[in-house]
Amino acid sequence: MNNEQCCVVSCDKPLDKEYWDAQYKAAATGWDLGKVSPPIKTYIDTLENKNAAILIPGCGNTYEAEYLLEKGFTNVTVIDIAPTLVENLNQKFASNSNIKIVLGDFFEHQGSYDLIIEQTFFCALPPTMRQKYVWKIHQLLAEEGILTGLLFNRTFEVSPPFGGSLEEYKMLFNSAFDFVKMEVAQNSVEPRANSELFIEFKKNNEFKVDLYAFEGITCSGCMNSVTGKFSSLNGVMNVSMSSNFAEVLIVSEKEIPLEELQNIVSYDEKYKIKKI
């Protein structure tokens, strides 16, 4: 799917504000459908609460927000890190008071939302940030909040986008969310047919979702040992560590004292853990 690729600068550069701004300046937006994604459009058509607080992270040209506004929704927020894009969006929606356009880092954003729409944001993040994504989405959703949208169920030879699989997502989001729906999208655009999963995840308020920075691990074997020890703690429902071993996500019935976590890994003096 060459049309999904977006690299116009060397892809070994950080996927930061400068990188994404370069894509919009060069109009190198091969991922852009030019319209609202059909599975998301179908979902929006089922929504009844026009006053629901809705967030679209990594919004891009945000046809989803445009469609929401056309349908009469009154509380839409979109956020993106690329200044050129955000300037264009501010001009496009200048006369519409029902949308808030934010230039900034999603992971620093604060708010409370009934619905977060995922559309090519997760796949644009380095896979090392997936635990942080789960933590931040859970943090931003209101008590009955829903994460919905599309995730790729495939891999890519050139990235971004970064792919994934249904099994990976089950392990990643487990316990932090209740899986209302996670299935192959039935009405994807043709280039993405059978490669997208439509998701509807409801925030699980029964459990604490905490993210920690971790130092000292250099191999998968050590990672498995540490996550196994954390998983065996009473009340811990799910543990996953980022692919670069720098962050660990813990979902538990109650917050585990940091001192207890550090004590568990004190068998190796290199291991240090702190809450983010």
Side-chain angles (χ1 to χ4, degrees):
M1 267 198 292
N2 291 334
N3 61 324
E4 299 290 354
Q5 298 173 11
C6 60
C7 292
V8 296
V9 295
S10 174
C11 281
D12 60 0
K13 290 187 176 181
L15 299 179
D16 54 13
K17 179 176 69 174
E18 286 71 26
Y19 173 87
W20 290 110
D21 203 46
Q23 311 307 303
Y24 288 100
K25 286 180 177 178
T29 54
W31 68 89
D32 192 309
L33 296 181
K35 62 180 181 180
V36 59
S37 181
I40 294 177
K41 179 178 182 291
T42 298
Y43 181 83
I44 290 172
D45 288 341
T46 69
L47 300 176
E48 297 179 355
N49 181 8
K50 304 294 186 180
N51 297 317
I54 301 174
L55 174 68
I56 305 177
C59 63
N61 284 308
T62 200
Y63 308 107
E64 290 72 29
E66 190 170 7
Y67 187 68
L68 285 164
L69 295 172
E70 289 175 4
K71 297 289 288 185
F73 287 83
T74 63
N75 189 2
V76 180
T77 301
V78 301
I79 182 170
D80 205 284
I81 204 169
T84 298
L85 167 71
V86 169
E87 182 180 351
N88 293 339
L89 294 179
N90 279 323
Q91 294 177 10
K92 181 177 181 179
F93 296 108
S95 61
N96 197 320
S97 61
N98 293 323
I99 184 171
K100 181 180 180 181
I101 301 162
V102 179
L103 172 63
D105 184 342
F106 165 75
F107 294 99
E108 296 177 1
H109 185 63
Q110 300 296 317
S112 179
Y113 297 94
D114 302 305
L115 180 68
I116 297 178
I117 297 177
E118 167 57 51
Q119 165 64 357
T120 65
F121 176 56
F122 179 92
C123 72
L125 295 171
T128 55
M129 299 186 72
R130 292 187 172 180
Q131 280 70 23
K132 193 171 188 178
Y133 175 97
V134 174
W135 167 75
K136 189 61 180 181
I137 291 286
H138 193 274
Q139 185 182 81
L140 287 172
L141 283 172
E143 192 163 306
E144 299 295 321
I146 295 288
L147 168 67
T148 193
L150 297 165
L151 298 174
F152 277 118
N153 189 30
R154 58 156 295 183
T155 58
F156 294 89
E157 293 182 5
V158 177
S159 298
F162 300 92
S165 68
L166 184 147
E167 289 305 317
E168 176 189 354
Y169 304 143
K170 282 183 177 179
M171 291 187 290
L172 182 64
F173 290 92
N174 181 39
S175 298
F177 294 87
D178 295 325
F179 300 155
V180 179
K181 185 176 292 186
M182 182 162 48
E183 61 189 24
V184 175
Q186 298 302 305
N187 57 338
S188 298
V189 295
E190 184 57 34
R192 301 180 186 178
N194 300 313
S195 67
E196 291 182 314
L197 295 173
F198 181 80
I199 64 167
E200 185 180 353
F201 296 163
K202 184 177 181 180
K203 178 179 178 177
N204 190 331
N205 294 289
E206 296 181 7
F207 301 136
K208 288 280 295 177
V209 178
D210 293 305
L211 188 69
Y212 300 86
F214 203 98
E215 296 179 8
I217 290 181
T218 57
C219 69
S220 296
C222 297
M223 176 190 73
N224 292 336
S225 177
V226 167
T227 56
K229 289 180 183 296
F230 288 161
S231 296
S232 67
L233 287 171
N234 184 43
V236 170
M237 309 304 297
N238 190 27
V239 179
S240 65
M241 186 169 280
S242 60
S243 57
N244 63 351
F245 316 128
E247 293 177 342
V248 60
L249 182 77
I250 299 179
V251 183
S252 55
E253 294 177 348
K254 60 181 180 180
E255 185 174 345
I256 311 298
L258 182 61
E259 295 79 7
E260 183 175 354
L261 295 173
Q262 183 62 62
N263 185 59
I264 288 171
V265 298
S266 61
Y267 62 91
D268 191 318
E269 63 180 15
K270 298 191 304 295
Y271 295 166
K272 305 295 180 184
I273 185 170
K274 63 180 181 179
K275 193 170 182 181
I276 292 178

